[in-house]
Amino acid sequence: MKILIAGNGKVGSMVTRQLSNENCDLTLIDRNKQVLESCMEHYDVMGIQGNCASMDTLLDAGVKDADLLIAMTGQDEINLLCCLTAHFMNPKLHTIVRIRNPEYVNQIYSMRSDFAISMAVNPDRQAATEIYKLLRYPGFLKRDTFVRGNAEIVELRIKEHSQMAGLPLTKLNSLFKTQVLVCAVLRDGEAFIPAGHFMLEAGDRVFVTGASENLSKLLRNTGIIARRARRVLIAGASRISYYLAQNLLSGGVSVQILEKDPDRCRDMCVLLPDASIVKGDASDQQILNEEGIRNCDAFVTMTGEDETNIVMSIYGTHIGVPQVITKLGRAENVHMLDDLPIGSIVSPKELCSNTIVRYVRAMQNQEGAAVTIHMIADGQVEAIEFIVDESTLHCGEPLKEVPIKKDVLLASISRDGKTEIAGGDSRFYPGDSLVVVSAGRGAIRQLNDIFERQYS
Amino acid sequence: MNYRMLARLNGEILIMEAIFMIPAMMISAWESNWNAAASFGYSILIILVVSGILLLLSKGARRRGFYAREGMVSVGLIWIVMSALGCLPFVISGEIPHYIDAFFETVSGFTTTGASIVPNVEALSKGILYWRSFTHWVGGMGVLVFLLAIVPTSGNDRGFTLHLLRAESPGPSVGKIVPRMKQTAMILYILYLVLTVLDIFFLVIGGMPLFDSVCHAFGTAGTGGFGVKADSIAGYSPYLQNVTTVFMILFGVNFSCYYLLIMKHFKEVLLDEELRLYLGVIFGSVILITLNLRGFYKTLEETVRHVFFQVASIITTTGYATTDFDLWPSFSKAILLGLMVIGACAGSTGGGLKCARFLLLVKGLRRNIRQVLHPQKVQVVRVNHRMVDEQILANTNAYLSAYVIIIILSTLVVSLDGFSFETNFSAVLCTFNNIGPGLAQVGPTCNFSAYGIVSKLVLSLGMLAGRLEIFPILAIFSRSTWKKL
């Protein structure tokens, strides 16, 4: 599949990194030669220097026989123009456009066909939604939903002195009286898929799947908190802050935003009449204390600087805020931050590029294709949803007799809106939705890829 | 420095070299020359043992930590190792008894130079002749490019391959023609193969024996110049000479032009400034030399045929000859010397400074002269209506400096052997630019066997440096390459 990526900033290069592992021909377009050079040195891609909204550049990049255009420049207007131009030159082209300006978001949705957009992505809004979900269901570091919300994979960190530390996985369900499955563990920056005798250790990040009520049971019985946030303090008035505050306010949560730039304070005040906006440097602990950081239920650090966010989050955790969420703009080395007490990490560019990879995979194989793909454990593990059909092998066989590849785990089976954790006696039938977790190097593109080939 | 990856690449290339020797061995066996066949057999064995050791050493090699520096060094080393082992059949069979001579011959083959130390080519056996010509073919497009074309790509190659392509392919700014490296390399080799087969076809219908056709086509395709006859192409019919002329010119064209033609971008190819310069220089030289040679040959047809052939042979750095151009008047010889320096197009199999660089140098010079006259005027250099990056201009100038310095130094060393200046200077020029025959005592009817061991080594290194565009070879001898930080 031929893909053009216009604009190679933070999100663009993340998308490039992820798609270069797929079976795609990538051509990058950027005005900046240095950016292109560094990408070409790191990935097997071609670079075209120029303005991505001009016909000449697009022609050079081979728009005529491309299948997908991903417009990711920093400017919405250029992205839209690029998309219109490319679509004019090749009407069969799919387009993904990044739109960040909140003023455009609604009109883009209604004008989608006029602008020839197949999908519009808004990293800020996505990040806000992600943070909102985390605030709604506290206790998890991250959650990914599958099968229209019927199955989920959540991320937990095992704290020191937790009951879960030192526990073999086989005893997990009986001890906490629940029905969940640990499908991946991230320890010291390395992700793997554990077997039954695996022992959990403090400091591990574990990825657990199960039905929603069983997951909340796990939280309750392990003593991880469950109180929903009522008062949220947000540091930094970015676009994400705006979307998040909007969501929170409509859910009846009180929101306080700290921002040092007076103009942005005023803008925010105009946009969000119900939030309380405070002018002040959020990295100043005095101001945080004055604004009552000790009384709030959640502290979200969202300034433009990752370093500031990390320091503030450490302070928040230190003084005992129940839930801390950190936004990181450059989340390349997240596992380096594992030992720091900075709560959940949200990376807008990673969320955005995951969405795009999902779209690309859906385009790539229509048949037996993955319905959704989520990257978990710092992008080292893929959680993929498939629908079983007639061509699937091993239908109706008990799982303990099905040869499944190493480093691949069948996590759950959903049928008629009910989700069951896959056990040795489970079986799947055509029509079921499966969630498969893979830490292997070979890509899983179709459901049958998870089975060991049998030579008989 | 990623030593393990270096070892692995070297090992893989050697395995390929061993495979390449098998046809030569079969030819020797077919003509019942058991001595030659056995020499190939032993060589293959030695090469496989060396590559086995290298591959064992490279256990656990990782592509991570493979940067431009590693790309340069591995290409330089691979070419040296490949030549050092590729000359074994010549030595073992005793057809070229001295190792240094055989090394010179093999380097001359792989770098598509075509400079020979063999006094009588016709005395060599067929298998050896085939191997000699085949080194041209594989050296022309590059062995690593071949490796890139056939090895399965791993999903995440982290730019590993681009460094190799850049280090091995000629031209001021090497890029891919399609997004995938493997496909780029395959397209290049398929074009190369198709053109070679066409050449063989046209030679065979012209009545050349199949074996001669294959060897000559290899020599033409790689713009090398090893033939199977002592008088090069002179003994063949005018038709065969003309076919060779046309194909030499074709192989001197940037291969991405052919890809663009297949993709039906005719206008871009037609307006390509480098191609126009290349063809312009060819036709201009032909006219000038023809005028200069009035009365030298009997008919105009003969004159034009010989001149066209020699001009094409020199500018594409092939080095075949149909006539002894050393007997031509000085003006014609001077033009030929100039053509040696200019060379073929970037991205072709030819050597020399490359037309693209020449174009950049001339345009850059023109810009600088104008700059002196109008200091405040803002000017950029354009090629094909696109601005050329200042960095590329600076690199081109640096390349020219390195080029000139190497020529001066090698001429100094080679002069120790006591030949005339014309001989020494043209010997350095025609090895460094990968042409083959020079003037005077290294002219088309003579060879390099008279030079001493030191000169042969210097000229061999010069050929490698010329083929790999200087920097990979310089990188091996640079101390900062091997320093740990």
Side-chain angles (χ1 to χ4, degrees), chain B residues 241-376:
Chain B
Q241 294 178 359
N242 289 336
V243 165
T244 309
T245 309
V246 170
F247 274 93
M248 283 192 293
I249 295 175
L250 286 179
F251 281 110
V253 172
N254 190 336
F255 274 63
S256 50
C257 284
Y258 296 125
Y259 181 70
L260 287 175
L261 280 183
I262 294 173
M263 301 310 287
K264 302 202 176 92
H265 295 271
F266 302 112
K267 214 173 140 195
E268 277 169 60
V269 177
L270 225 58
L271 295 177
D272 187 66
E273 289 186 42
E274 186 188 13
L275 189 63
R276 290 179 155 207
L277 176 74
Y278 171 68
L279 296 176
V281 168
I282 291 178
F283 285 108
S285 313
V286 168
I287 292 171
L288 285 177
I289 296 180
T290 311
L291 288 176
N292 188 234
L293 284 185
R294 270 166 313 164
F296 196 88
Y297 295 102
K298 279 179 213 123
T299 62
L300 183 67
E301 184 274 330
E302 198 184 351
T303 318
V304 172
R305 172 159 53 83
H306 285 312
V307 172
F308 231 117
F309 190 95
Q310 256 56 243
V311 166
S313 168
I314 296 293
I315 195 171
T316 62
T317 73
T318 309
Y320 282 136
T322 54
T323 180
D324 188 358
F325 52 78
D326 196 38
L327 303 173
W328 287 2
S330 311
F331 178 69
S332 303
K333 284 201 277 187
I335 290 181
L336 289 183
L337 272 184
L339 294 181
M340 284 185 185
V341 175
I342 294 177
C345 295
S348 71
T349 59
L353 199 57
K354 308 283 175 322
C355 287
R357 275 208 190 86
F358 189 66
L359 194 67
L360 287 176
L361 286 171
V362 170
K363 287 196 168 190
L365 190 64
R366 200 171 60 184
R367 194 257 313 251
N368 284 20
I369 292 170
R370 279 195 199 144
Q371 197 81 57
V372 174
L373 301 176
H374 305 278
Q376 303 304 322

Side-chain angles (χ1 to χ4, degrees), chain A residues 213-387:
Chain A
E213 65 270 17
N214 285 328
L215 288 171
S216 11
K217 217 187 266 176
L218 175 75
L219 277 189
R220 266 205 307 282
N221 296 349
T222 48
I224 302 172
I225 55 122
R227 204 167 81 95
R228 199 174 281 184
R230 304 228 159 272
R231 195 166 168 272
V232 177
L233 179 61
I234 300 175
S238 59
R239 290 199 184 103
I240 310 180
S241 313
Y242 163 71
Y243 291 120
L244 175 64
Q246 217 180 21
N247 278 342
L248 288 171
L249 288 168
S250 65
V253 181
S254 91
V255 176
Q256 196 160 24
I257 300 177
L258 267 174
E259 165 64 47
K260 62 179 169 191
D261 179 18
D263 292 340
R264 290 175 84 169
C265 281
R266 200 173 327 108
D267 293 348
M268 216 32 121
C269 203
V270 173
L271 286 168
L272 298 165
D274 295 333
S276 113
I277 318 286
V278 177
K279 188 182 95 65
D281 189 349
S283 57
D284 184 350
Q285 292 173 2
Q286 189 73 35
I287 292 179
L288 286 175
N289 290 338
E290 274 172 30
E291 294 310 318
I293 186 173
R294 284 167 207 276
N295 301 327
C296 64
D297 305 314
F299 180 41
V300 187
T301 55
M302 226 133 39
T303 65
E305 294 158 46
D306 289 352
E307 298 84 344
T308 316
N309 290 346
I310 291 171
V311 172
M312 286 192 294
S313 294
I314 293 175
Y315 180 67
T317 320
H318 177 71
I319 61 169
V321 178
Q323 195 175 8
V324 174
I325 297 173
T326 314
K327 184 212 98 173
L328 291 183
R330 314 183 162 270
E332 265 90 16
N333 293 312
V334 178
H335 67 87
M336 196 173 74
L337 306 171
D338 267 358
D339 299 332
L340 291 178
I342 55 171
S344 311
I345 293 171
V346 170
S347 155
K349 70 169 183 185
E350 200 174 284
L351 290 170
C352 182
S353 79
N354 282 350
T355 318
I356 292 169
V357 172
R358 233 172 280 156
Y359 187 92
V360 170
R361 293 214 177 158
M363 266 179 81
Q364 238 168 3
N365 39 6
Q366 308 294 338
E367 229 172 273
V371 182
T372 59
I373 295 157
H374 292 248
M375 307 296 285
I376 59 176
D378 294 348
Q380 296 184 41
V381 175
E382 289 177 347
I384 317 159
E385 177 184 338
F386 288 105
I387 294 177

